[in-house]
Amino acid sequence: MTDLAGHMTRGEALTLALLEAFPRQAYFYAYEPRLISDDAHGAASSKPDFVIVSARHGVIVLEIKDWGRIVSGTQKQIDTIRADGARASYDNPYNTAERYAYDLKKRFETRVELWEQYRGRTQLKFPWQVMVGLPHIAQSVIAAFEDKGIWTPRTVAGREAFASPAALRAFIENLPYKFQIERALTPDMLDIIREILDPSLAIHA
């Protein structure tokens, strides 16, 4: 996927380079997979920046923002200062990633091979988790937004997490997953997830 870097943002290209260094037997990822969902207005599609799949941890929906400075915000909106000094406001990227994650969860739920029974109810065999990446913002700045309840702790990665592949892996492995996978996802299950993220990879008998 390295040929994609030409039309990526700077933060997305950095993320791609780091993900390319992850061990292939433990991780794979998709860049801007097109997710189709049905909402009240008919068919709709969404494209998260990255979906990362860890055989040991689950599925991570990652939204990247190239903001250089954030000054204030709420659970709905983040206020930034652009390079030219102008103030700009954007939807909270955590909410955006969460919407993408719900779309993806619905796709997963169409495949019974990914279900299991747990305490009398049906659930996916792996957790899904929302993550935001701010490669140009210090983690200490992000912590101030966490303290105000704007972002869930340990879900927004700052500059330090993008310093190396090992640092990004450590952040991903420390996300607040809803539960821990007892056994690594099997190759067959990983193939189903790949097919959902990229239908062109479907294997037909």
Side-chain angles (χ1 to χ4, degrees):
M1 293 190 179
T2 53
D3 59 333
L4 296 171
H7 75 272
M8 290 179 164
T9 67
R10 193 158 56 102
E12 289 171 350
L14 172 60
T15 304
L16 176 71
L18 296 175
L19 291 176
E20 284 282 291
F22 278 26
R24 297 296 175 90
Q25 70 275 20
Y27 288 91
F28 68 87
Y29 67 90
Y31 172 66
E32 289 192 345
R34 186 166 179 260
L35 309 178
I36 305 296
S37 64
D38 291 327
D39 60 18
H41 306 290
S45 65
S46 60
K47 289 199 300 183
D49 289 335
F50 291 92
V51 174
I52 304 166
V53 181
S54 165
R56 283 286 180 186
H57 297 91
V59 175
I60 301 96
V61 177
L62 172 59
E63 187 74 3
I64 299 290
K65 293 298 180 186
D66 270 310
W67 299 334
R69 184 181 173 195
I70 53 177
V71 291
S72 61
T74 66
Q75 290 183 343
K76 292 184 177 181
Q77 177 179 293
I78 303 298
D79 302 318
T80 73
I81 301 295
R82 298 192 309 223
D84 61 3
R87 194 181 185 100
S89 299
Y90 302 93
D91 290 342
N92 190 327
Y94 187 92
N95 298 338
T96 304
E98 196 167 48
R99 287 194 297 271
Y100 293 153
Y102 279 120
D103 288 345
L104 187 55
K105 177 175 179 284
K106 290 177 184 177
R107 293 287 301 279
F108 289 148
E109 289 174 344
T110 65
R111 299 297 296 267
V112 296
E113 304 98 315
L114 302 180
W115 298 357
E116 67 178 1
Q117 290 293 320
Y118 180 75
R119 295 183 177 178
R121 62 188 180 88
T122 301
Q123 67 174 23
L124 291 173
K125 293 180 179 179
F126 53 86
W128 54 269
Q129 176 62 47
V130 170
M131 177 177 167
V132 174
L134 304 178
H136 315 302
I137 303 294
Q139 203 69 47
S140 59
V141 175
I142 292 168
F145 283 69
E146 294 173 344
D147 290 344
K148 295 177 181 178
I150 294 171
W151 288 322
T152 301
R154 296 176 19 233
T155 62
V156 181
R159 181 188 304 133
E160 295 85 345
F162 291 86
S164 69
L168 185 58
R169 276 187 64 194
F171 193 96
I172 288 171
E173 292 172 2
N174 195 45
L175 287 165
Y177 297 98
K178 294 179 176 65
F179 62 92
Q180 298 297 314
I181 299 174
E182 293 184 4
R183 297 184 183 88
L185 300 178
T186 65
D188 285 347
M189 290 178 62
L190 293 172
D191 283 343
I192 292 170
I193 294 172
R194 283 190 181 94
E195 177 187 332
I196 289 170
L197 294 175
D198 184 355
S200 70
L201 298 178
I203 298 174
H204 302 286

